Amino acid sequence: GEVKNEEEEEDDDAAGGGKLLSDEEMADRCKVLIDSITLTVFDYIRRGLFERHKLTISTMLALRVATNDGWLDNEQVGLLVNGNINLNPGSMGMLDEWMLPIIFKRLKALEVSPEFKGLCDQLQEDAEEWGLWFMNGKAEECKMPSGFDKSLSDYGKLAFLRAIRPDRLPAALTKWLGQVMGKNFIEQPPFSMDTCFQETSNQTPVFFVLFPGVDPTPWVEKL
């Protein structure tokens, strides 16, 4: 048969898309694939969720990505997820003028993490300023006393907010998810039957879970 020289083989590889990628190009390519697969899987999952559950699933996914990629460890995840309390927190000092004891117990439990070492001492030193911050309707958007805006990481602020103002955690989580995962994980488009139908085949059916007030029949009939 015909024997090709090395230059001809290289030209054939280039023409056929067989060019070897560098380590950096391969890493970039893998990242694009992982991001695409992650979003595709999330899109499939979110279609079967109630609106109130989507933030929880997005957060669970983000935390799993964070631990797999190594920018959060299991102990840090536990600070946000577990909501531990310290059963012997000690004196609240001036904080007892506006803070519930259960909140102080949750804050004291955060001190097991190096990021929160001496946390409650700092709160007590600036108790009046923290009281004003605590009473704000959107505390997560306000500047934190005691220099916490600089000393705490973005994730650390979530754990702190979960302990002291859990009612403001959903808003803070939404913002954080947009930063670390992208807006597609917090701003999902409404359900589209046309889009869903394009992903089906005679081997890929669609299952509708029916509940009161929702009837998919008109969507199907319009196809």
Side-chain angles (χ1 to χ4, degrees):
E2 182 180 355
V3 179
K4 297 183 179 181
N5 60 36
E6 292 183 0
E7 289 186 359
E8 289 175 327
E9 290 180 350
E10 290 178 358
D11 289 342
D12 288 345
D13 286 343
K19 181 181 178 181
L20 294 177
L21 299 177
S22 67
D23 290 344
E24 184 177 349
E25 290 173 330
M26 181 63 74
D28 291 341
R29 178 60 177 161
C30 287
K31 184 180 185 306
V32 170
L33 288 172
I34 291 172
D35 290 346
S36 176
I37 292 170
T38 301
L39 181 58
T40 299
V41 171
F42 176 74
D43 277 339
Y44 280 129
I45 293 173
R46 72 175 178 82
R47 288 175 183 167
L49 297 175
F50 291 110
E51 194 66 31
R52 65 181 181 272
H53 296 152
K54 290 181 180 179
L55 180 61
T56 300
I57 298 301
S58 296
T59 302
M60 292 172 63
L61 177 61
L63 294 178
R64 179 56 61 89
V65 169
T67 53
N68 285 346
D69 290 354
W71 46 276
L72 286 179
D73 58 36
N74 289 329
E75 181 180 333
Q76 289 172 300
V77 171
L79 294 176
L80 180 64
V81 174
N82 296 335
N84 295 329
I85 62 173
N86 186 320
L87 297 177
N88 298 293
S91 173
M92 295 178 61
M94 295 181 62
L95 295 175
D96 65 1
E97 295 181 5
W98 53 267
M99 181 184 289
L100 294 174
I102 186 60
I103 294 178
F104 188 70
K105 290 178 179 180
R106 290 199 296 257
L107 291 169
K108 200 68 177 178
L110 291 178
E111 293 186 337
V112 299
S113 170
E115 184 173 9
F116 293 102
K117 184 178 180 180
L119 169 67
C120 291
D121 289 339
Q122 290 179 286
L123 292 175
Q124 289 174 344
E125 288 177 8
D126 301 317
E128 185 175 348
E129 293 180 42
W130 277 111
L132 295 174
W133 178 89
F134 180 83
M135 296 299 176
N136 193 287
K138 294 184 177 180
E140 77 283 358
E141 298 179 2
C142 298
K143 182 179 179 181
M144 290 182 170
S146 305
F148 278 20
D149 278 327
K150 295 181 179 179
S151 63
L152 293 183
S153 65
D154 289 341
Y155 181 79
K157 291 174 184 175
L158 292 178
F160 176 74
L161 201 64
R162 193 239 195 270
I164 193 171
R165 282 291 303 272
D167 60 304
R168 300 308 306 165
L169 185 59
L173 270 175
T174 299
K175 180 179 179 180
W176 179 75
L177 287 168
Q179 293 171 344
V180 300
M181 297 295 289
K183 67 179 183 178
N184 289 327
F185 291 86
I186 57 173
E187 299 175 0
Q188 297 96 34
F191 175 76
S192 169
M193 190 63 219
D194 289 336
T195 301
C196 188
F197 181 69
Q198 292 173 10
E199 298 173 359
T200 65
S201 70
N202 61 343
Q203 296 178 330
T204 310
V206 176
F207 291 90
F208 292 97
V209 179
L210 302 180
F211 55 93
V214 175
D215 181 7
T217 304
W219 301 339
V220 177
E221 291 177 342
K222 288 181 180 179
L223 295 175

